[in-house]
Amino acid sequence: MIQNNDFALIDPQNGNQAFKLFRFEKNNPFDDIQRLNYYSMIWLESGTGNVKADFSEYSFQENVLLSFSPFQPFMLNLKGEIRGWVINFHPDFFCIHKHHKEVACHGVLFNNIYNPPFVYIDKKASTNFEMVIEQFKAEMQNPALAQYELLISYLKIFLITASRLKAEQQTKAKQATAKEKEPFILRNLKNAIEMHYKTKHSASEYADLLAITPKALTRITKTHFNKTLSNLIAERIIIEAKRELYLTNKTVKEIAYDLGYNDEYYFSRFFKKNADVSPQYYRETVGFAKASAVLSK
């Protein structure tokens, strides 16, 4: 289905959108809160502004790529001459969780709770992106044998290009921060969250682990990550919950228990508060294992 610079691929098995590429100019299509059941990458070639994502707000300049996971809340406030491309793809079309080693974008472009959800695009990457978008358009205008496979190959090129660039920018940022003597406690905090997010859910527990007051630790996280410690912990738990809902056929009760929640209903309320949808709805609209989940009800 093609309308102007709007290209969409529909999954013939369920009638849902599998992949979409579209152009936007002048008008901002993301000026209210978005919660989409697919991955979304927004290449803003022209225009500046700020993005509200999850619990944080970040400012950015033009020529930036913003990346969002399924049901991650975000909104863009843009100004100036607005121009860009959007690539949306459903996890059933291309699963980041299953192919993260191939494209190296999980934890870089998507699901990174410690860094802003965008990367600045240099001249070389812009040239690569333009080439890939032309290949997307050509393939979707003239579909032929193995169309899905070709589109996925082009998508991988796009993801790898962006991931390498962001990883490079993150390394430079870390080096600059090191010169400014970033608190060593931040590294310990990241390690502690990764080790204990399934069993420790409160800011005070991490403060005790690191021998610091909760107030002081929250002040540090707010300064360096632009979000509170409670927000960081919640985001990490939700990322793992989404992964489990997508990749496995475990019941919501089993996932809740694995994440340290004995009360399935408390966990479901926690998930809905942070993802704006229930765990079951997330699985039904995003989850790879949704067919198995239906059978296991």
Side-chain angles (χ1 to χ4, degrees):
M1 182 173 63
I2 302 172
Q3 295 180 342
N4 300 322
N5 277 316
D6 190 337
F7 305 81
L9 184 66
I10 304 301
D11 188 331
Q13 294 185 337
N14 55 32
N16 295 330
Q17 177 182 293
F19 177 88
K20 185 175 183 179
L21 170 73
F22 70 90
R23 180 78 169 168
F24 65 96
E25 295 185 28
K26 297 182 181 179
N27 296 322
N28 176 12
F30 309 105
D31 59 357
D32 55 4
I33 291 292
Q34 310 286 308
R35 289 183 176 89
L36 313 172
N37 70 330
Y38 39 74
Y39 290 96
S40 186
M41 294 187 293
I42 304 164
W43 178 22
L44 187 67
E45 298 171 287
S46 178
T48 63
N50 62 68
V51 53
K52 294 180 180 178
D54 293 310
F55 304 104
S56 303
E57 184 171 347
Y58 308 92
S59 297
F60 54 81
Q61 301 302 311
E62 65 180 10
N63 212 9
V64 66
L65 178 73
L66 301 107
S67 306
F68 304 102
S69 300
F71 287 109
Q72 180 180 7
F74 73 91
M75 180 174 76
L76 304 184
N77 295 312
L78 302 177
K79 55 187 178 181
E81 182 184 350
I82 300 170
R83 186 178 72 253
W85 286 95
V86 179
I87 297 174
N88 295 329
F89 60 97
H90 193 276
D92 285 347
F93 177 75
F94 185 76
C95 174
I96 296 295
H97 293 299
K98 292 170 66 178
H99 299 280
H100 64 95
K101 290 183 180 178
E102 293 177 50
V103 294
C105 64
H106 183 65
V108 180
L109 294 182
F110 303 100
N111 297 324
N112 188 324
I113 64 176
Y114 303 108
N115 294 105
F118 58 78
V119 55
Y120 285 106
I121 306 305
D122 61 19
K123 187 175 181 180
K124 182 179 177 181
S126 291
T127 301
N128 288 338
F129 285 176
E130 288 168 0
M131 291 172 58
V132 172
I133 286 173
E134 288 305 312
Q135 289 171 318
F136 278 141
K137 290 162 63 178
E139 185 61 27
M140 295 186 76
Q141 289 180 85
N142 300 291
L145 187 66
Q147 182 191 38
Y148 264 55
E149 286 75 9
L150 262 182
L151 289 173
I152 287 172
S153 295
Y154 299 148
L155 179 59
K156 285 181 179 179
I157 293 170
F158 196 98
L159 290 168
I160 291 169
T161 300
S163 298
R164 287 177 175 176
L165 188 59
K166 187 165 186 179
E168 180 184 323
Q169 290 178 12
Q170 287 176 348
T171 298
K172 290 179 179 178
K174 285 179 182 177
Q175 292 171 346
T177 306
K179 293 177 182 178
E180 296 170 6
K181 297 183 179 180
E182 174 188 66
F184 184 71
I185 197 169
L186 291 181
R187 188 186 306 170
N188 292 339
L189 174 61
K190 292 178 186 178
N191 292 336
I193 291 175
E194 288 304 309
M195 287 180 64
H196 301 293
Y197 70 89
K198 293 182 180 181
T199 56
K200 300 184 186 301
H201 301 157
S202 70
S204 61
E205 288 175 300
Y206 289 91
D208 289 342
L209 274 177
L210 301 175
I212 187 174
T213 67
K215 186 176 181 180
L217 188 56
T218 292
R219 186 169 60 248
I220 292 171
T221 58
K222 189 68 176 174
T223 299
H224 289 273
F225 301 130
N226 198 27
K227 58 187 77 173
T228 67
L229 178 53
S230 295
N231 293 156
L232 282 174
I233 300 165
E235 283 186 40
R236 185 63 187 90
I237 294 168
I238 292 298
I239 285 171
E240 183 64 16
K242 287 179 176 179
R243 192 189 74 82
E244 289 288 305
L245 288 165
Y246 183 81
L247 288 179
T248 76
N249 60 1
K250 293 179 183 177
T251 64
V252 173
K253 185 176 182 180
E254 289 173 321
I255 293 172
Y257 184 79
D258 288 346
L259 290 172
Y261 295 89
N262 293 321
D263 186 337
E264 172 191 352
Y265 300 102
Y266 177 86
F267 168 75
S268 293
R269 290 194 298 272
F270 168 78
F271 187 94
K272 187 169 185 178
K273 177 183 176 182
N274 288 277
D276 202 50
V277 293
S278 69
Q280 194 60 44
Y281 184 81
Y282 181 88
R283 168 168 275 164
E284 289 169 355
T285 55
V286 175
F288 175 75
K290 52 184 173 284
S292 299
V294 171
L295 294 175
S296 65
K297 282 184 181 179

